[in-house]
């Protein structure tokens, strides 16, 4: 359906011969059983101010709610399926030729934005940005009604330019925040990985959060937050569990005394290691070793 057919078929009153139209969506028209509005071969920008609108965009059914913007490129197809009775929404429709003229005039958009809407044409708008979007749309509507103005076509292009600038600016800022968040997350994961690697290398000598934070060039508070967020465990838990594994290994695989193990793992004294181990395992190191060897003897006798 070309532009003129679209205007006639859906009785769009606010239109410009150059190839742009402004349509306040009516729930009654959309909810008719016959002739559901279909937008194809046109560039359309849909903004929901209130209510809900059920759509099919490129074969994907989507429910558009309050403060949702859909930017449908001319090669895409959008069908308006159903609308709530309280729907308040505007649709700006432009031909490819009209958009081409805007682009040649320096339309404020980016390749990132075009790629974004081609893959995901629906964008949620935060409340503090909804007002400026609506204001820009109402300015466009006002130009359409000002038929006595000799420069209506020029003013209309400027108002559409302003609206598109708002949309592109909103997307660009959102993308910067997404990129920042992705970068932030990637750095957190790298920090977490480096911490676990350092823990393996230094656990015999270093047991403090401050050491690992200093070595990783971050504050102890930041290291605690990152490790907790990514692993669900505290830094102290990581350090303590690593120490317990090292103690268990020596109790099970060597004949080192508890004093020797305490010295090798940099505990201030044997008693400190004993209290630490008992707090986590419920038994002293010596009892743990005794029970371990008893279990081994039982296992060996059972195989005979």
């Amino acid at each position: 359906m070309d532009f003129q057919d679209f205007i006639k078929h859906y009785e769009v009153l606010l239109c410009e011969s150059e190839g742009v139209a402004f349509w306040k969506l009516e729930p009654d028209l959309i909810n008719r059983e016959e002739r559901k509005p279909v937008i194809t071969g046109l560039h359309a920008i849909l903004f929901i101010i209130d209510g809900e609108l059920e759509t099919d965009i490129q074969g994907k059914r989507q429910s558009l709610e309050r403060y949702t913007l859909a930017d449908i490129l001319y090669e895409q197809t959008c069908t308006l399926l159903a609308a709530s009775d309280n729907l308040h929404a505007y649709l700006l429709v432009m031909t490819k030729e009209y958009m081409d003229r805007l682009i040649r005039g320096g339309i404020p958009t980016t390749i990132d934005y075009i790629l974004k809407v081609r893959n995901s044409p629906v964008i949620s708008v935060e409340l503090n940005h909804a007002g400026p979007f609506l204001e820009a749309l109402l300015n466009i509507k006002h130009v359409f009604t000002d038929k006595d103005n000799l420069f209506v076509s020029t003013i209309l292009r400027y108002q559409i330019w302003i609206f598109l600038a708002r949309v592109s600016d909103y997307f660009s800022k959102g993308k910067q925040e997404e990129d920042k968040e992705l970068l932030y997350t990637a750095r957190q994961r790298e920090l977490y990985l480096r911490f676990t690697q350092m823990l393996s290398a230094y656990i015999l000598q270093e047991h403090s959060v401050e050491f690992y934070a200093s070595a990783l060039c971050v504050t102890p508070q930041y290291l605690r937050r990152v490790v907790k967020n990514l692993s669900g465990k505290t830094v102290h838990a990581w350090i303590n569990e690593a120490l317990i594994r090292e103690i268990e290994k020596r109790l099970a695989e060597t004949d080192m005394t508890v004093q020797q193990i305490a010295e090798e793992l940099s505990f201030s004294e044997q008693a400190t290691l004993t209290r630490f181990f008992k707090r986590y395992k419920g038994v002293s190191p010596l009892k743990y070793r005794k029970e371990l060897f008893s279990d081994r003897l039982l296992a060996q006798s059972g195989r005979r």
Side-chain angles (χ1 to χ4, degrees):
M1 183 182 296
D2 65 18
F3 181 73
Q4 292 303 325
D5 290 337
F6 180 87
I7 299 302
K8 293 175 183 177
H9 192 71
Y10 298 116
E11 303 169 4
V12 181
L13 300 178
L14 300 179
C15 59
E16 171 64 34
S17 59
E18 289 189 6
V20 58
F22 189 87
W23 189 20
K24 183 179 184 299
L25 299 184
E26 298 294 339
D28 289 344
L29 187 148
I30 296 169
N31 290 330
R32 290 175 188 172
E33 290 299 325
E34 71 281 1
R35 70 171 194 176
K36 294 291 185 184
V38 178
I39 306 161
T40 186
L42 300 167
H43 191 130
I45 298 178
L46 176 64
F47 186 56
I48 312 296
I49 299 158
D50 203 2
E52 295 182 16
L53 178 64
E54 196 74 23
T55 66
D56 183 301
I57 303 175
Q58 289 296 93
K60 183 179 180 181
R61 197 177 181 107
Q62 299 195 59
S63 182
L64 310 185
E65 300 178 344
R66 192 180 190 192
Y67 304 145
T68 299
L69 182 142
D71 194 342
I72 300 126
L73 304 180
Y74 71 89
E75 70 266 24
Q76 297 175 320
T77 298
C78 175
T79 304
L80 310 183
L81 301 173
S84 63
D85 292 337
N86 65 331
L87 178 69
H88 185 189
Y90 291 111
L91 179 68
L92 180 66
V93 179
M94 296 164 282
T95 64
K96 183 178 184 300
E97 292 73 23
Y98 190 86
M99 279 297 297
D100 287 342
R101 287 195 294 274
L102 288 177
I103 291 170
R104 286 196 295 272
I107 186 173
T109 191
T110 64
I111 294 297
D112 280 339
Y113 177 76
I114 297 297
L115 293 174
K116 161 78 174 178
V117 299
R118 181 167 285 137
N119 295 320
S120 304
V122 177
I123 303 169
S124 294
V125 179
E126 293 178 4
L127 178 61
N128 59 322
H129 288 272
F133 275 26
L134 178 58
E135 180 186 6
L137 279 171
L138 292 177
N139 286 338
I140 294 170
K141 179 183 178 182
H142 176 73
V143 176
F144 272 109
T145 60
D146 191 14
K147 295 296 184 182
D148 294 331
N149 195 312
L150 296 175
F151 303 99
V152 64
S153 294
T154 302
I155 296 171
L156 186 57
R157 282 197 297 272
Y158 279 123
Q159 291 297 344
I160 292 174
W161 193 96
I162 290 169
F163 175 65
L164 294 175
R166 288 192 183 279
V167 173
S168 186
D169 178 65
Y170 180 79
F171 168 77
S172 297
K173 287 178 178 175
K175 186 174 187 304
Q176 288 171 6
E177 290 301 315
E178 288 178 8
D179 291 344
K180 189 185 296 183
E181 183 64 27
L182 287 172
L183 180 61
Y184 180 65
T185 304
R187 285 177 175 170
Q188 285 188 330
R189 287 174 178 160
E190 181 185 358
L191 177 65
Y192 169 63
L193 179 61
R194 288 172 60 200
F195 164 69
T196 57
Q197 291 170 338
M198 285 195 67
L199 192 60
S200 298
Y202 291 95
I203 190 60
L204 300 187
Q205 297 84 32
E206 302 293 344
H207 310 162
S208 72
V209 178
E210 289 72 21
F211 166 80
Y212 293 100
S214 176
L216 292 165
C217 301
V218 296
T219 64
Q221 293 81 2
Y222 183 72
L223 181 62
R224 289 189 185 101
R225 187 166 68 248
V226 169
V227 172
K228 177 69 173 176
N229 287 344
L230 291 180
S231 71
K233 295 193 299 187
T234 65
V235 177
H236 276 297
W238 276 92
I239 293 171
N240 292 342
E241 287 173 12
L243 278 170
I244 291 295
R245 285 194 300 272
E246 293 296 332
I247 297 169
E248 286 178 328
K249 181 180 178 181
R250 284 158 178 76
L251 289 172
E253 298 177 4
T254 74
D255 58 358
M256 293 173 66
T257 65
V258 175
Q259 177 63 41
Q260 289 172 327
I261 296 173
E263 291 173 358
E264 186 169 66
L265 269 65
S266 303
F267 280 86
S268 57
E269 57 184 3
Q270 176 180 330
T272 304
L273 182 146
T274 298
R275 286 194 301 271
F276 169 78
F277 189 84
K278 191 171 183 178
R279 187 167 70 246
Y280 277 87
K281 302 301 293 185
V283 295
S284 68
L286 288 177
K287 189 172 182 181
Y288 175 86
R289 176 179 271 171
K290 184 178 179 180
E291 290 176 351
L292 186 66
F293 278 100
S294 295
D295 291 341
R296 287 179 180 173
L297 288 173
L298 285 172
Q300 289 172 1
S301 61
R303 288 196 295 268
R304 290 173 185 170

